């Protein structure tokens, strides 16, 4: 099937869509404040609503609801069935908009997300009550915040891991938000946790392997060192696209 649920004036704004799936439903949000749900098999529109501001995050689903963050740093919990907002929570008061889609993860009935100023917030997924919040940036200079680019956040049963382009890789306790350790690694790429190791690639092209318990760097590999110039160009071209 092929469907389009935008009128002429909306099409002129060139909306950028973000999609998520829950059962037989396709959830769609965009950067012009619209959100709606389609039947995945037929493409039929089940419902459509508008938000007070555009959306700028991943979509995460949980049972009969989905979660999304808008440009005002407000996390919204929305019913997949009818589009009704069940609760919302404002993470920060800032006019700075994120340069990258904000990240959301769910671990054991708790939702964790970052915002445009680098704060990490934990929320009870059923009630919407904030459990804890930790700031990662102390700067009050707007230009510094505007240039901040965080990686997506990832987690295991003990910790949240993420990094940014300010030369910071963080490990935060999943239960209470306490800082476990911080390492000097410059990366806005989503890290991976495998057993007791963290893998990430820096913005300069180094593969970093870090001990997840201590934050110690286990290995650094220059991924371009043994490549010829032609290989570098092809790799960077593929990366850009």
């Amino acid at each position: 099937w092929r469907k389009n649920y935008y009128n002429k004036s909306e099409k002129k704004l060139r909306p950028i869509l973000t999609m998520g799936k829950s059962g037989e439903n396709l959830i769609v949000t965009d950067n012009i404040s619209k959100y709606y749900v389609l039947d995945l098999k037929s493409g039929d529109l089940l419902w459509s609503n508008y938000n007070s501001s555009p959306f700028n995050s991943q979509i995460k689903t949980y049972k009969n609801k989905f979660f999304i963050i808008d440009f005002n740093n407000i996390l919204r919990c929305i019913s997949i069935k009818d589009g009704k907002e069940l609760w919302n929570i404002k993470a920060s008061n800032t006019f700075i908009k994120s340069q990258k889609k904000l990240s959301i993860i769910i671990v054991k009935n708790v939702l964790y997300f970052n915002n445009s100023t680098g704060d990490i917030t934990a929320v009870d997924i059923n009630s919407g009550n904030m459990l804890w919040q930790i700031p990662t940036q102390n700067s009050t200079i707007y230009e510094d915040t505007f240039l901040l680019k965080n990686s997506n956040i990832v987690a295991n049963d003990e910790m949240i891991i993420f990094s940014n382009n300010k030369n910071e890789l963080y490990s935060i306790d999943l239960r209470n938000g306490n800082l476990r350790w911080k390492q000097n690694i410059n990366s806005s790429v989503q890290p991976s946790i495998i057993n007791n190791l963290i893998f990430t690639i820096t913005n300069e092209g180094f593969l970093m392997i870090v001990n997840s318990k201590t934050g110690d760097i286990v290995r650094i590999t220059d991924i371009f060192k043994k490549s010829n110039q032609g290989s570098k160009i092809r790799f960077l071209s593929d990366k850009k696209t």
Side-chain angles (χ1 to χ4, degrees):
W1 50 264
R2 181 176 180 179
K3 306 285 185 178
N4 193 322
Y5 294 106
Y6 290 87
N7 58 39
K8 290 183 178 180
S9 60
E10 290 172 334
K11 290 178 183 178
K12 289 180 180 179
L13 297 174
R14 298 182 179 274
I16 299 173
L17 311 185
T18 300
M19 300 182 187
K21 178 182 176 296
S22 177
E24 299 301 322
N25 298 309
L26 179 66
I27 303 161
V28 185
T29 65
D30 63 33
N31 64 338
I32 62 171
S33 307
K34 191 173 182 177
Y35 61 104
Y36 50 97
V37 168
L38 309 179
D39 182 281
L40 197 57
K41 292 183 177 179
S42 65
D44 292 340
L45 181 67
L46 302 181
W47 56 260
S48 178
N49 279 333
Y50 288 91
N51 190 44
S52 57
S53 65
F55 296 103
N56 187 39
S57 78
Q58 303 169 338
I59 297 172
K60 289 295 179 180
T61 62
Y62 179 80
K63 295 183 179 179
N64 60 348
K65 60 191 78 170
F66 72 92
F67 305 88
I68 191 77
I69 307 168
D70 63 27
F71 268 112
N72 290 325
N73 282 319
I74 299 177
L75 171 70
R76 301 185 183 276
C77 174
I78 298 170
S79 167
I80 295 175
K81 181 179 179 181
D82 55 15
K84 180 181 178 181
E85 185 173 286
L86 304 177
W87 53 260
N88 69 67
I89 184 169
K90 190 172 182 64
S92 68
N93 295 303
T94 179
F95 295 104
I96 301 299
K97 311 307 180 186
S98 175
Q99 297 295 290
K100 184 178 178 180
K101 282 189 179 296
L102 301 177
S103 180
I104 304 172
I105 60 173
I106 298 172
V107 182
K108 296 180 179 179
N109 297 324
V110 178
L111 183 146
Y112 305 87
F113 68 100
N114 63 357
N115 63 17
S116 60
T117 58
D119 300 338
I120 303 296
T121 306
V123 179
D124 183 280
I125 203 167
N126 295 308
S127 66
N129 293 329
M130 184 185 295
L131 302 177
W132 54 259
Q133 184 178 77
I134 179 173
T136 62
Q137 302 299 307
N138 295 321
S139 174
T140 57
I141 302 174
Y142 279 167
E143 296 122 19
D144 289 349
T145 308
F146 181 77
L147 295 173
L148 177 67
K149 290 185 180 180
N150 289 301
S151 72
N152 290 339
I153 55 178
V154 296
N156 59 16
D157 291 335
E158 299 177 353
M159 70 192 80
I160 293 171
I161 299 293
F162 68 98
S163 57
N164 59 36
N165 62 338
K166 301 289 186 180
N167 201 33
E168 298 167 329
L169 173 70
Y170 288 91
S171 172
I172 294 175
D173 192 283
L174 201 66
R175 299 163 298 174
N176 52 35
N178 290 337
L179 179 66
R180 294 165 59 99
W181 51 259
K182 184 170 75 169
Q183 181 59 265
N184 294 328
I185 292 178
N186 189 52
S187 175
S188 52
V189 177
Q190 177 177 311
S192 296
I193 307 174
I194 302 176
N195 298 324
N196 292 328
L197 296 176
I198 298 168
F199 297 82
T200 189
I201 296 177
T202 70
N203 295 343
E204 296 75 28
F206 291 92
L207 171 65
M208 310 288 290
I209 303 176
V210 180
N211 186 307
S212 65
K213 300 291 185 181
T214 64
D216 295 331
I217 295 176
V218 177
R219 181 173 178 177
I220 303 175
T221 302
D222 185 346
I223 60 177
F224 293 144
K225 186 175 182 180
K226 295 182 180 180
S227 301
N228 58 42
Q229 188 64 28
S231 298
K232 289 184 183 180
I233 294 172
R234 287 196 298 271
F235 181 84
L236 290 171
S237 176
D238 291 341
K239 183 179 179 181
K240 184 176 180 181
T241 56

